[in-house]
């Protein structure tokens, strides 16, 4: 059951698409205080709090304070409290069980047993919001109800489930060709190569630097012949430059955000000084979305939207005032206090939260401070793109995923987890985030596999791939200046490439589970406790998750480990693979086991009485043989298999599903 409550006069977020009548009674479970901005709930000793989508820390969110205020934050650490998305959906399970969604586009904090272990305290910046309370039989039942009211998740093309190679640092057409060549040379399957900001002419959206990419259309054609899709990046800010068509049109038709004085707001990002499109305006969305045609017309069929929190390196105004003050300070004898003032000023220039108070949107003719709708910005940018694809490519799926998001954005694209690092702890965090993202509707997702920042080591690469082979998006992406981490940069390509081959073998299953999760408002990844509800050890398991109803994933996330402890909530079949055709299985009893696994050994589990389909080796998704599937699992088991052409937008669950 779902009930809806409203406080003040909220701005429409379009997160919920089902009509739910307003309840006028008292909000259940919570005590509402401070002018309807603070919501507190008394937690019982063993209550677990799930949710919050893209956030740091574990599956059980209890014991920390989180913030929804989308943030370009390359430090995803234990003491971080906000990342790029705002997914204000929580599920409390224990003494009582309910879900709650705070549909609120501004800054909102979730103190989940941080100040007081017994208290869940949610505090918003103002009272204008909608709150939804969901009750149901099971955790999954509540999630499904929630997913139903927020609308069907975005569906990616099947080729996007292939392996993708990316690096911020591919600068030329030759760089791209080299990536394709090397994958071919080492026989590493590949479906996509990503273009980061360097393909653009001085970082201007919807332009191509023809010095470095002589003919992008031709390159795309050449790549497609080799089974590879090029996926260019699009950033949120539009470069201020006379004569640049996107800028000129934006000015002419008044599509940009305004500052306090009603002038077009000036921030700076990669292109230098930019204006930010006012994505809250439908006209702006339509116009910006139409721009993707430049690339679609070249045959490009995938994009990633970046910097759309929006990230701001500096604002014109802050930069000027910091410069002024630094100038003053430089004329004095610098004492230690002045030194720290100077240091603080300079460090505070980028992504300064106060800058979000200095620009404005036009929402139905009303001037609205950005901070009130901050968390919607990336969402509305992605919506702009998706709605344009809908107009331009009626029956073709276009790959789209975004860095920043809000619940609602899941209908228009997937997300990636942003700038993680090549750290073992981030491998674990990658896995822990997956169920929470599914709860919020984000099914097409994945982290930068092997880590974005920092230097990857070969063992980390191996172990991380052993997790990523299960996530819908499987993209190896790294930052400029870090150690190159294409698989062929390491000694043991023979082994890493086998992991990628296993991924392709698993695609029929992964894709089927993905599609069923989307079409049934189900979760592709679940905490163990969602299916083993009375098992207290399952409830406490933070480093294993379920995939569909068949698989349990148990990645190794520690360096030099020779294996790991695994908890089996029931008798299961252990699968050990070193390649697609070197497979060993063994039935293990319920309980704890120490499982040894060499670096090149992938270990996962098939649940009691289940099986999964496996395809033969393939070079790319186009060459996958889904007609001749093999099976892995229990004899006499059956599997509900979904299959479609992977590209058109006809998704007939009944017609496309069969028991095999
Ligand atoms: O300021 O485009 O998260 O994936 O490689 C960094 C360069 C901007 C951030 C993205 C990352 C991308 C990078 N971008």
């Amino acid at each position: 059951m779902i009930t809806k409550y409203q406080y003040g006069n909220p701005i429409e977020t379009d997160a919920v698409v089902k009509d739910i009548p307003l309840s006028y009674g008292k909000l259940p479970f919570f005590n509402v205080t401070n002018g309807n901005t603070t919501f507190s709930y008394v937690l019982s000793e063993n209550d677990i709090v799930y949710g919050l989508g893209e956030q740091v820390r574990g599956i059980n969110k209890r014991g920390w304070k989180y913030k929804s205020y989308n943030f370009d934050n390359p430090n995803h650490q234990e003491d971080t409290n906000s990342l790029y998305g705002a997914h204000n959906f929580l599920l409390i399970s224990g003494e009582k069980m309910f879900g709650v969604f705070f549909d609120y586009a501004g800054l909102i904090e979730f103190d989940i047993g941080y100040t007081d272990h017994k208290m869940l305290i949610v505090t918003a910046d103002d009272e204008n919001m909608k709150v939804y309370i969901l009750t149901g039989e099971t955790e999954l039942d509540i999630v499904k109800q929630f997913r139903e009211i927020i609308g069907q998740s975005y569906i990616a093309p099947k080729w996007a489930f292939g392996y993708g190679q990316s690096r911020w640092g591919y600068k030329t057409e030759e760089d791209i060709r080299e990536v394709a060549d090397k994958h071919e040379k080492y026989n590493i399957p590949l479906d996509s190569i990503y273009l980061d900001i360097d393909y653009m002419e001085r970082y201007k959206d919807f332009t191509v630097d023809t010095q470095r990419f002589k003919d992008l259309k031709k390159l795309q054609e050449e790549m497609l012949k080799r089974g590879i899709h090029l996926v260019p990046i699009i950033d949120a800010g539009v470069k201020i430059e006379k004569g640049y068509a996107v800028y000129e049109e934006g000015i002419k038709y008044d599509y940009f955000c305004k500052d306090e004085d009603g002038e077009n707001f000036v921030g700076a990002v990669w292109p230098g000084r930019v204006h930010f499109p006012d994505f809250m305006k439908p006209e702006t969305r339509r116009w910006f979305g139409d721009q993707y045609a430049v690339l679609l017309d070249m045959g490009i069929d995938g994009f990633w939207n970046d910097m759309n929190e929006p990230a701001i390196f500096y604002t014109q105004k802050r930069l000027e005032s910091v410069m002024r003050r630094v100038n003053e300070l430089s004329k004095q004898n610098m004492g230690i206090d002045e030194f720290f003032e100077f240091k603080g000023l300079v460090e505070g220039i980028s992504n300064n939260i106060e800058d979000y108070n200095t620009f404005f949107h036009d929402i139905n003719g009303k001037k609205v401070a950005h901070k009130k709708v901050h968390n919607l910005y990336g969402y509305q940018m992605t919506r702009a793109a998706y709605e344009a694809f809908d107009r331009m490519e009626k029956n073709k799926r276009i790959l789209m995923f975004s860095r920043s998001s809000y619940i609602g954005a899941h209908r228009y694209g997937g997300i990636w987890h942003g700038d993680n690092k090549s750290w073992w702890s981030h491998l674990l965090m990658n896995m822990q985030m997956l169920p929470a993202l599914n709860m919020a509707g984000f099914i097409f997702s994945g982290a930068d596999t092997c880590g974005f920042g920092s230097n990857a080591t070969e063992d980390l690469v191996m172990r991380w791939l052993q997790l990523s082979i299960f996530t819908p998006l499987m993209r190896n992406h790294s930052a400029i200046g870090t150690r190159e981490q294409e698989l062929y940069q390491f000694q043991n390509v023979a082994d890493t490439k086998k992991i990628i081959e296993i991924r392709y073998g698993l695609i029929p299953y992964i894709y089927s589970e993905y599609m069923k999760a989307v079409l049934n408002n189900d979760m592709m990844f679940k905490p163990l406790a969602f299916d083993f509800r009375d098992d207290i050890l399952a409830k406490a398991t933070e480093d294993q998750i379920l995939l569909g109803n068949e698989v349990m994933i148990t990645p190794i996330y520690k360096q030099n480990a020779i294996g790991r402890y695994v908890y089996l909530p029931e008798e299961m079949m252990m699968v050990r693979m070193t390649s697609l055709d070197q497979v060993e299985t063994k039935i293990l009893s319920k309980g704890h086991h120490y499982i040894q696994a060499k670096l090149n050994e992938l270990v996962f589990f098939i649940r009691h009485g289940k099986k999964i389909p496996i395809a033969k080796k393939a070079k790319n998704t186009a060459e996958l043989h889904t007609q001749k599937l093999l099976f892995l699992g229990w004899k006499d088991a059956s599997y509900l298999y979904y299959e479609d052409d992977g590209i058109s937008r006809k998704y007939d669950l009944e017609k496309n599903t069969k028991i095999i």
Side-chain angles (χ1 to χ4, degrees), residues 158 507-508 615 623-629 641 643 658:
K158 196 183 210 169
I507 285 179
E623 294 185 7
L624 260 184
H625 298 288
T626 50
Q627 299 310 320
K628 287 180 240 145
L629 294 173
Y641 179 56
E643 198 196 3
K658 59 175 187 242

Side-chain angles (χ1 to χ4, degrees), residues 168 196-197 233 270 304 306-307 313 403 416 419 448 452 475 477:
W168 175 18
D196 207 317
I197 46 177
I233 195 171
W270 287 108
W304 45 312
D306 191 19
M307 303 297 273
F313 292 166
R403 192 169 69 176
W416 89 99
D419 297 347
D448 288 348
F452 173 74
R475 177 178 74 142
H477 181 48

